[in-house]
Amino acid sequence: MDAVHLKRQLITFTEQLFREGFLDEQFNQLQQLQDENNPNFVVEVVSLFFQDTERLLDELSKALDQANLDFKKVDGHVHQLKGSSSSIGAQRVQRTCIIFRNYCNEKNVQACLKCLQVVKHEFALLKSKMETLFNLEQQILAAGGPPSI
Amino acid sequence: MGTPLLWRAFGSVSGLTRPRRNRAAGAASPHDRDRIFSADVKQEDQFQYAKTHCLSSYYSVFVARLAIMVMLAILIGLLTILTWHFTRSYTTKSLNGLAYGLRYELLQRPILRMWNILNSTVEITTAQVKLSEYVIRKYNKPTSQAEQIELYEMMKEVTWALFASRKALNAITINYRNGFVQAFHRDHRSNNTYYIYSDLSNYSITSSGPSSSEPLSSLRGWNDQSIHGNLSAIWYREPLDPTTGEKIGKARPILPDDLINIAGISQVPDGTATWHVAVSKYSDSPLLSAALPVWDPSRENIVAVVGVTTALYSVGQLMRELVEFHSGHIYLTSQQGYLLATSSNTPLLNNTPKGPKLMMANESQDPVIRAGAEWLKRTYGDNYPPSHEVHVENARLGDQHYYIDSFFLNLKRLPMVGVIIIPRKYVLGKVEERAFKTLIILICASLCILLIGCLCILILTNGVSKEMKLRAELISHLDARRRAEASSNYKSQFLANMSHELRTPMAAVIGLLDILLCDDCLTNEQYSTITQIRKCSTALLRLLNNILDISKVESGKLVLEEAEFDLGRELEGLIDMFSVQCINHDVETILDLSDDMPRLVKGDSARVVQIFANLISNSIKFTTSGHIVVRGWCENLNSINEDTKFSLEHKKPLCALKAKLLKQHGKTIIKRALNLKKDSTAILWFEVDDTGCGIDPSKWESVFESFEQADPSTTRLHGGTGLGLCIVRTLVNKMGGEIKVVKKNGPGTLMKLYLLLNTPTDTPELLHQENFAQHGISVVLALHGGMGRSMMSRWLAKKGVFTIEASDWNGLTQTLQELFHPRRSGSPNSSFRLPYSIVEAEMNLGDRIVAQNLVIVIDIALLDLSTEIWKEQLRFLDRYSRRVKFAWLLNHDTSNAVKVELRRKQHMVMVNKPLYKAKMIHILDTIVKETTMSSSDERISRSVREGEPHECLEMENIPFECVISSDESDTTEAANNAEARGDLQVEVSDQACYGKHIERYDVFNGSEGKFDEGRCEEQGNSGSGNPAPNRGKSLEGLRILLAEDTPVLQRVATIMLEKLGAKVVAVGDGLQAVNSLNCTKSADSKEMNRVMPGLVGTERSPTYDLILMDCQMPKMDGYEATKEIRKSEAGTGLHIPIVALTAHAMSSDEAKCLEVGMDAYLTKPIDYKLMVSTILSLTKRTDP
């Protein structure tokens, strides 16, 4: 496929992500940080985010499963998730985290569980989107287009 | 005379119309009229001028017409008057002469008669006197009564004899001295004759005695008394027989009243004869009486007086006769004006109581005579002219005109005046009538002639004026046309002048759009929009260019350059360019220039290119599938070598053309030949042949007109303005050529043109025609396009190069198998055919060809690029790579991956499509070079192959350069066919980018490690120097400890800081952070004794300029860590800035942070700018 065409597709897709609120300005900053020194920086960071988040989500579900809920722990995890998601600009995840933390403070177990589901859903969505995005980038590279996004 | 009047009238008319017009104009546009409508006004003025001109000519015609008419009228009038005058005056004159003669004659005759009467009277009187004298002498001295009586008797006899002899006599009287009277009297009325005598008794002879002594005194004594005094005497009258004189009656005494006039002595006072006119009672006409004395013999005494009386009656008779014959009136008067005789019957005497008396002429009862007499009296009064002669020709009496003539008859004692009155009508009546009629006829005729003449003139001048009007109209039309042409010319010139102004912004727009298109951050929609804009702009530019070209040509501003250029190369560039466009259309573009084409020609390259660009783009527009062939061949004008290939086709027109050419361009050619003796003019023939929809033969001529398209639907389907071919023809004609559409077999259009171009003869013949046959080269043409392939193979065969054709992948594989495994794969149903020599095919082809150089020119399109099969195909070809050379024909959009792959497989010869002769030669040259090298030194060839990447790149770049250079020249000269070029430009620039990118990539990969080292070095250098103020590296040289547990954040922050130039050490939690800080501190503390504190940059144990601390971390959170750090710092005087990083966005958090000893506070996500400013503010503060 034409590299240029792919690129246009990529740009369109990114625009869409921004518009739908999956990503925010932070992601652009992230992209700006990528240069010759760190050619795969964005992918790297985002993968890190995925791993970290998966881990956090795992822990969160575990923590929420327990009989006596340690809300502090849950809050810490959510806080962390919030921090990391905001750092890569995963806006929707971040927002959900804020709500999550509020419920944590209220010690509302049901709401917390619900929030966990939402976060998981949001994360899955984001992950798939980001994977599409990176796939596109890879394709561009393969088609001989410029490696920058 | 009428002309100035007319002019004045005309002036006033035009003066009237002008202000009205101005007023109207003023009402229409009160403002800006002068500026905006000045042109209009001028035009209108001119129009007005033409109109007035027309009007003036009309008036002049009118005036001329009038003048001619007047002249004609004058002429005819003059002619008429002259004719009338001459006819009339001469007649009148001659008639007048005649009339005078007549009148004279008429009057003369009565006068003559009068004269005769007088004469006869005188004669008789004289005779009577003589006789009386004789008788008296005889009886001299009568003494006795008897004697006396005898004497008287004697006298009576004698007198009777005389009296009887003269019948006209009225009376003869003899009055004797003694008073005796004897008289004979004839009464004409009663026709009686009387003898009258007095009584003798009273008279005696003696009585006369005394008187004889005193004759004179006695005479006096005699006098009238003797008669009238002698009243006592008794008179007797005796009637007599008129013929015999016999006494027929008794004498009777008569009364004195009845007496006739008896002449007495008183009538002869002086003794001579006297005359007088008398009247008598017996006659109604005057009587002429003459008296004569009778002397005695001694002549001393008068013895008697004889009186003779004659009636003038006969004169009147004569007059009457005359007048009866001639009409008119005649009368005689005495000098006193008494009428003597008239031609009328009116009485001449007045009967008064005293007896009849003579009447005056003006008392006559005849009206004409009276009127004439009165007229004479009135005119002359008493002052008659001396001779009494009057001739009046036109006297008006009553209501008629008369001639009046009077003659004077001067008789002694009785002068007479004769007057003749003849009515003018009698003499000139007919003449005058005729003259009047003639005059009337003449006037009528002249009027008619005048009328007809005027009509004729009117008609004639009408025709003339109509013609003049038409001519004036024609002139004004011509004028208008000239003006229109001029204005159109102005338009053309204006457009031609505007060309630069119009093109520059368009070029800028397109350039900017190109830049925008190259930009990466465009969405698909934006991209498509911009592409659309660009297409529109290029279309607009093309349209503009066409219009401007046309206008330039029309305004005559197009000047062809005369510069040498490589025609072949230009055309190749053009074909390259268009082939890009054609590939999408499935149309093959082929350039077929014959070898005899001069390489260098002189002319305007841009315009030549424009011609072909227009033609080819036109062909492309209408060709959906098939091919477009541009053929070219040369023909030297000086020695026409008829090309064998086209001779059959063009033999006939060629001869004709040559003749025409020589006629048409003979001069210019000679001129050129004189100017540039080195040059020789060549006729370059070209054909542009396509397989499109074709042109209807009826439109073959008209397609070259401007704005003309073969089919009205063309605009709808293909767009365009119809200017392209017009420009082409104009340009071709300007180059001394011609273009026309030629009939061709099969579908499509065949445009044929020739150009006259100079070829510099002194150019060295390019000896590129190496004999490839020598090198034993064979070529397999594996090309998609059938037309190009067959053309190329034909050409190669002509060159002595053996060729085999293959149209697709299967064909190629079969060919290869046949060539290299002839025995194994000798399948009878092979599609491979040897087109040229079956004999050769019979031979061991494989051996023969392999021994030579076999070149396979292979189209990239033969590979299946849509899937991954092409790699397999390449691998298949790779098997032959040692035995054959591959030359690849690439599409402009062949992906880089394929190229890289090809290069990797050592397929080094790659050219872009389309394939034309120059490229083929290039390929073969390269291969020949290669083989010669390899044959000479195997090892060197190996090394050459090692270094071949560069060569291959070079070679690949050749067409690019070629295209780019031509493109540049095009854009600088005239951006014609901007769309095609623009597309190409994009493609080219893309390709160039790719090429460059690959180059860069290679270099990058090759020297990655080195690059990193260099960069580190650079970093170090810059670190020792002052920190660069630029934003990119604002944190240059800072060492920062980052404590962050979230890996994502950690990574992001690290990169962020590193990008800013800082050196970052990242730790996972607070404890690590504290530890690392303490570790460095402990290391520092040793050295710090030796080295100046604050000196940063020691490599082994870096101290930190700043700590970025996440607040929430496992093991030890940010607050704890900070507290720890501050605790350890206490006493050392050091204060390392610590910046909190927290997701807690509440002010309480901030307060908490500051409470534990942190310096600043950053919230997640990290804001780039805020972070930089915070860090900078903190580090500066701490900087020494």
Side-chain angles (χ1 to χ4, degrees), chain B residues 499-514 533-545 548 975 978:
Chain B
S499 70
H500 182 253
E501 271 62 32
L502 284 172
R503 276 181 227 198
T504 312
M506 279 314 290
V509 167
I510 289 168
L512 289 172
L513 284 175
D514 283 341
I533 294 170
R534 200 189 180 287
K535 268 183 192 161
C536 293
S537 324
T538 45
L540 180 58
L541 183 63
R542 192 174 56 227
L543 186 64
L544 272 177
N545 279 330
L548 296 174

Short mmCIF file of all heavy atoms in Angstrom, two decimals, chain B residues 499-514 533-545 548 975 978:
data_model
loop_
_atom_site.label_atom_id
_atom_site.label_comp_id
_atom_site.label_asym_id
_atom_site.label_seq_id
_atom_site.Cartn_x
_atom_site.Cartn_y
_atom_site.Cartn_z
N SER B 499 0.34 38.73 -18.55
CA SER B 499 0.66 37.32 -18.37
C SER B 499 1.51 37.09 -17.12
O SER B 499 1.21 36.22 -16.32
CB SER B 499 1.37 36.80 -19.60
OG SER B 499 2.64 37.35 -19.67
N HIS B 500 2.53 37.89 -16.98
CA HIS B 500 3.41 37.68 -15.84
C HIS B 500 2.66 37.91 -14.55
O HIS B 500 2.73 37.11 -13.61
CB HIS B 500 4.60 38.63 -15.95
CG HIS B 500 5.58 38.46 -14.84
ND1 HIS B 500 5.71 39.37 -13.83
CD2 HIS B 500 6.42 37.45 -14.57
CE1 HIS B 500 6.62 38.94 -12.99
NE2 HIS B 500 7.08 37.78 -13.41
N GLU B 501 1.90 38.99 -14.55
CA GLU B 501 1.17 39.34 -13.34
C GLU B 501 0.16 38.27 -12.96
O GLU B 501 -0.14 38.07 -11.80
CB GLU B 501 0.44 40.68 -13.54
CG GLU B 501 1.24 41.89 -13.17
CD GLU B 501 2.49 42.05 -13.99
OE1 GLU B 501 2.49 41.68 -15.18
OE2 GLU B 501 3.47 42.53 -13.43
N LEU B 502 -0.36 37.62 -14.01
CA LEU B 502 -1.36 36.58 -13.71
C LEU B 502 -0.69 35.28 -13.29
O LEU B 502 -1.21 34.56 -12.46
CB LEU B 502 -2.23 36.34 -14.93
CG LEU B 502 -3.28 37.40 -15.22
CD1 LEU B 502 -3.93 37.13 -16.54
CD2 LEU B 502 -4.33 37.36 -14.13
N ARG B 503 0.43 35.02 -13.91
CA ARG B 503 1.04 33.73 -13.66
C ARG B 503 1.73 33.69 -12.31
O ARG B 503 1.75 32.65 -11.65
CB ARG B 503 2.06 33.42 -14.76
CG ARG B 503 1.41 32.81 -15.96
CD ARG B 503 2.44 32.50 -17.00
NE ARG B 503 1.98 32.99 -18.29
CZ ARG B 503 2.49 32.57 -19.42
NH1 ARG B 503 3.44 31.69 -19.44
NH2 ARG B 503 2.04 33.04 -20.56
N THR B 504 2.30 34.79 -11.91
CA THR B 504 3.08 34.78 -10.68
C THR B 504 2.24 34.36 -9.47
O THR B 504 2.63 33.43 -8.77
CB THR B 504 3.72 36.16 -10.44
OG1 THR B 504 4.33 36.55 -11.64
CG2 THR B 504 4.72 36.10 -9.32
N PRO B 505 1.11 35.00 -9.26
CA PRO B 505 0.34 34.54 -8.09
C PRO B 505 -0.14 33.11 -8.21
O PRO B 505 -0.18 32.39 -7.22
CB PRO B 505 -0.85 35.50 -8.05
CG PRO B 505 -0.85 36.24 -9.29
CD PRO B 505 0.49 36.16 -9.89
N MET B 506 -0.43 32.70 -9.44
CA MET B 506 -0.87 31.32 -9.61
C MET B 506 0.26 30.37 -9.25
O MET B 506 0.04 29.34 -8.58
CB MET B 506 -1.31 31.08 -11.05
CG MET B 506 -2.69 31.54 -11.37
SD MET B 506 -3.91 31.06 -10.18
CE MET B 506 -3.99 29.31 -10.48
N ALA B 507 1.45 30.71 -9.69
CA ALA B 507 2.59 29.86 -9.37
C ALA B 507 2.77 29.80 -7.86
O ALA B 507 3.04 28.73 -7.28
CB ALA B 507 3.85 30.38 -10.03
N ALA B 508 2.60 30.94 -7.22
CA ALA B 508 2.76 30.99 -5.77
C ALA B 508 1.70 30.11 -5.12
O ALA B 508 2.01 29.31 -4.21
CB ALA B 508 2.63 32.42 -5.28
N VAL B 509 0.48 30.23 -5.62
CA VAL B 509 -0.60 29.43 -5.03
C VAL B 509 -0.29 27.95 -5.17
O VAL B 509 -0.37 27.18 -4.21
CB VAL B 509 -1.94 29.77 -5.73
CG1 VAL B 509 -2.99 28.74 -5.37
CG2 VAL B 509 -2.40 31.14 -5.33
N ILE B 510 0.16 27.57 -6.35
CA ILE B 510 0.42 26.15 -6.58
C ILE B 510 1.60 25.69 -5.75
O ILE B 510 1.59 24.60 -5.14
CB ILE B 510 0.63 25.91 -8.08
CG1 ILE B 510 -0.71 26.06 -8.78
CG2 ILE B 510 1.19 24.53 -8.33
CD1 ILE B 510 -0.62 26.13 -10.26
N GLY B 511 2.61 26.52 -5.70
CA GLY B 511 3.79 26.16 -4.90
C GLY B 511 3.42 25.95 -3.44
O GLY B 511 3.83 24.96 -2.81
N LEU B 512 2.63 26.90 -2.93
CA LEU B 512 2.23 26.79 -1.52
C LEU B 512 1.38 25.56 -1.30
O LEU B 512 1.50 24.88 -0.27
CB LEU B 512 1.48 28.06 -1.11
CG LEU B 512 2.37 29.29 -1.02
CD1 LEU B 512 1.53 30.52 -0.80
CD2 LEU B 512 3.36 29.14 0.13
N LEU B 513 0.57 25.26 -2.26
CA LEU B 513 -0.26 24.06 -2.13
C LEU B 513 0.62 22.81 -2.12
O LEU B 513 0.36 21.87 -1.36
CB LEU B 513 -1.26 23.99 -3.28
CG LEU B 513 -2.45 24.92 -3.16
CD1 LEU B 513 -3.29 24.85 -4.41
CD2 LEU B 513 -3.29 24.54 -1.96
N ASP B 514 1.66 22.84 -2.95
CA ASP B 514 2.58 21.71 -2.96
C ASP B 514 3.22 21.53 -1.60
O ASP B 514 3.34 20.42 -1.08
CB ASP B 514 3.65 21.93 -4.03
CG ASP B 514 3.09 21.64 -5.40
OD1 ASP B 514 2.07 20.95 -5.47
OD2 ASP B 514 3.66 22.13 -6.38
N ILE B 533 -8.00 21.51 -4.64
CA ILE B 533 -7.63 22.92 -4.88
C ILE B 533 -6.48 22.99 -5.86
O ILE B 533 -6.46 23.79 -6.79
CB ILE B 533 -7.23 23.61 -3.56
CG1 ILE B 533 -8.43 23.71 -2.64
CG2 ILE B 533 -6.67 25.01 -3.82
CD1 ILE B 533 -8.07 24.15 -1.25
N ARG B 534 -5.55 22.08 -5.66
CA ARG B 534 -4.38 22.11 -6.52
C ARG B 534 -4.76 21.79 -7.96
O ARG B 534 -4.28 22.43 -8.90
CB ARG B 534 -3.35 21.10 -6.03
CG ARG B 534 -1.99 21.41 -6.57
CD ARG B 534 -1.00 20.34 -6.28
NE ARG B 534 0.28 20.75 -6.83
CZ ARG B 534 0.52 20.76 -8.14
NH1 ARG B 534 -0.42 20.40 -8.99
NH2 ARG B 534 1.69 21.17 -8.60
N LYS B 535 -5.62 20.81 -8.09
CA LYS B 535 -6.06 20.46 -9.44
C LYS B 535 -6.74 21.65 -10.10
O LYS B 535 -6.50 21.96 -11.26
CB LYS B 535 -7.02 19.28 -9.39
CG LYS B 535 -6.31 17.95 -9.52
CD LYS B 535 -7.30 16.81 -9.53
CE LYS B 535 -6.59 15.49 -9.36
NZ LYS B 535 -7.50 14.44 -8.91
N CYS B 536 -7.59 22.28 -9.31
CA CYS B 536 -8.30 23.44 -9.85
C CYS B 536 -7.32 24.54 -10.24
O CYS B 536 -7.45 25.17 -11.29
CB CYS B 536 -9.30 23.97 -8.84
SG CYS B 536 -10.64 22.83 -8.54
N SER B 537 -6.36 24.76 -9.36
CA SER B 537 -5.39 25.83 -9.64
C SER B 537 -4.60 25.51 -10.90
O SER B 537 -4.37 26.39 -11.72
CB SER B 537 -4.42 25.99 -8.48
OG SER B 537 -5.04 25.79 -7.27
N THR B 538 -4.19 24.25 -11.01
CA THR B 538 -3.41 23.92 -12.20
C THR B 538 -4.27 24.05 -13.44
O THR B 538 -3.80 24.53 -14.47
CB THR B 538 -2.84 22.50 -12.10
OG1 THR B 538 -3.87 21.64 -11.65
CG2 THR B 538 -1.67 22.46 -11.17
N ALA B 539 -5.53 23.66 -13.29
CA ALA B 539 -6.43 23.81 -14.44
C ALA B 539 -6.56 25.29 -14.81
O ALA B 539 -6.50 25.66 -15.97
CB ALA B 539 -7.79 23.22 -14.12
N LEU B 540 -6.71 26.09 -13.78
CA LEU B 540 -6.83 27.53 -14.00
C LEU B 540 -5.58 28.09 -14.64
O LEU B 540 -5.63 28.89 -15.57
CB LEU B 540 -7.10 28.22 -12.67
CG LEU B 540 -7.26 29.73 -12.71
CD1 LEU B 540 -8.38 30.11 -13.65
CD2 LEU B 540 -7.54 30.26 -11.31
N LEU B 541 -4.45 27.60 -14.15
CA LEU B 541 -3.19 28.09 -14.69
C LEU B 541 -3.05 27.68 -16.16
O LEU B 541 -2.58 28.46 -16.98
CB LEU B 541 -2.03 27.53 -13.86
CG LEU B 541 -0.65 28.02 -14.27
CD1 LEU B 541 -0.55 29.52 -14.06
CD2 LEU B 541 0.43 27.31 -13.49
N ARG B 542 -3.49 26.46 -16.43
CA ARG B 542 -3.38 26.00 -17.80
C ARG B 542 -4.24 26.86 -18.72
O ARG B 542 -3.83 27.27 -19.78
CB ARG B 542 -3.80 24.54 -17.88
CG ARG B 542 -3.43 23.91 -19.21
CD ARG B 542 -3.72 22.43 -19.22
NE ARG B 542 -5.10 22.18 -18.89
CZ ARG B 542 -5.51 21.27 -18.01
NH1 ARG B 542 -4.63 20.54 -17.35
NH2 ARG B 542 -6.79 21.09 -17.76
N LEU B 543 -5.43 27.10 -18.22
CA LEU B 543 -6.36 27.94 -18.99
C LEU B 543 -5.76 29.31 -19.22
O LEU B 543 -5.73 29.83 -20.34
CB LEU B 543 -7.66 28.05 -18.23
CG LEU B 543 -8.80 28.76 -18.92
CD1 LEU B 543 -9.20 28.00 -20.15
CD2 LEU B 543 -9.97 28.88 -17.97
N LEU B 544 -5.23 29.86 -18.15
CA LEU B 544 -4.60 31.18 -18.24
C LEU B 544 -3.47 31.15 -19.25
O LEU B 544 -3.36 32.03 -20.10
CB LEU B 544 -4.02 31.56 -16.88
CG LEU B 544 -4.95 32.28 -15.93
CD1 LEU B 544 -4.24 32.53 -14.63
CD2 LEU B 544 -5.38 33.60 -16.54
N ASN B 545 -2.67 30.14 -19.15
CA ASN B 545 -1.53 30.05 -20.05
C ASN B 545 -1.99 29.98 -21.49
O ASN B 545 -1.41 30.63 -22.35
CB ASN B 545 -0.71 28.80 -19.71
CG ASN B 545 0.21 29.05 -18.55
OD1 ASN B 545 0.65 30.18 -18.36
ND2 ASN B 545 0.45 28.05 -17.75
N LEU B 548 -3.29 33.32 -22.50
CA LEU B 548 -2.19 34.27 -22.61
C LEU B 548 -1.33 33.97 -23.83
O LEU B 548 -0.88 34.88 -24.51
CB LEU B 548 -1.34 34.23 -21.34
CG LEU B 548 -2.10 34.69 -20.10
CD1 LEU B 548 -1.26 34.50 -18.88
CD2 LEU B 548 -2.51 36.13 -20.24
N ALA B 975 5.10 27.49 -17.84
CA ALA B 975 4.55 26.32 -17.16
C ALA B 975 3.36 25.78 -17.94
O ALA B 975 2.21 25.89 -17.53
CB ALA B 975 4.15 26.69 -15.75
N ALA B 978 0.82 22.32 -17.02
CA ALA B 978 1.24 22.35 -15.64
C ALA B 978 0.71 21.16 -14.88
O ALA B 978 1.35 20.69 -13.95
CB ALA B 978 0.77 23.62 -14.98
#
